[in-house]
Amino acid sequence: MHLAYPAVLAALLFCVGLYGVLARRNAILVLMSVELMLNAVNLNLVAFDVWLRDALHAGQALTLFTIAIAAAEIGIGLAIVLMVYRNRGTSDVDRLRDTAEPAHRPDETDETDEKAEAAA
């Protein structure tokens, strides 16, 4: 087997994933694109492991670690995206740039402060 075939396929998968990360606005599609990039890396690891005929199969072992890390990443990433969607009502990455709560200025009063003062 030639090394060029899986290397070209992995490069194409990585480029598609990179395009998805840079061009998409939906956070779930960005996570899917990151997974596509990790799968391209896994393909390269296995292809080079077969090509080098490593006795320890280090490429396949690293692939298993990468799959485990990718599974944890997608689980945590989807949990974060779902919580952000519940709180903000959107999963658009451009609208989520400022994730911090708006700062409360001491010179401004809340409606709750005004209601508390009126009740007292």
Side-chain angles (χ1 to χ4, degrees):
M1 177 175 87
H2 295 287
L3 184 62
Y5 297 134
V8 168
L9 179 62
L12 289 174
L13 282 174
F14 194 84
C15 289
V16 169
L18 186 65
Y19 173 75
V21 168
L22 295 177
R24 299 291 179 187
R25 297 184 192 277
N26 190 350
I28 295 175
L29 291 177
V30 170
L31 284 174
M32 288 173 55
S33 298
V34 170
E35 291 295 319
L36 196 61
M37 291 168 61
L38 286 173
N39 285 331
V41 170
N42 287 339
L43 182 61
N44 266 335
L45 284 171
V46 171
F48 277 100
D49 182 54
V50 169
W51 184 64
L52 293 173
R53 295 185 179 130
D54 186 17
L56 296 176
H57 299 292
Q60 293 178 17
L62 285 174
T63 299
L64 290 175
F65 284 120
T66 307
I67 290 171
I69 290 171
E73 175 257 333
I74 199 68
I76 293 172
L78 279 175
I80 291 171
V81 168
L82 287 174
M83 289 306 295
V84 167
Y85 182 77
R86 283 184 187 172
N87 289 337
R88 301 274 176 119
T90 184
S91 63
D92 189 8
V93 176
D94 289 338
R95 291 185 181 178
L96 300 176
R97 295 199 182 201
D98 185 28
T99 57
E101 297 272 335
H104 180 70
R105 296 183 184 161
D107 57 339
E108 296 178 1
T109 58
D110 288 359
E111 294 176 12
T112 56
D113 292 340
E114 292 173 1
K115 289 178 183 176
E117 290 176 5

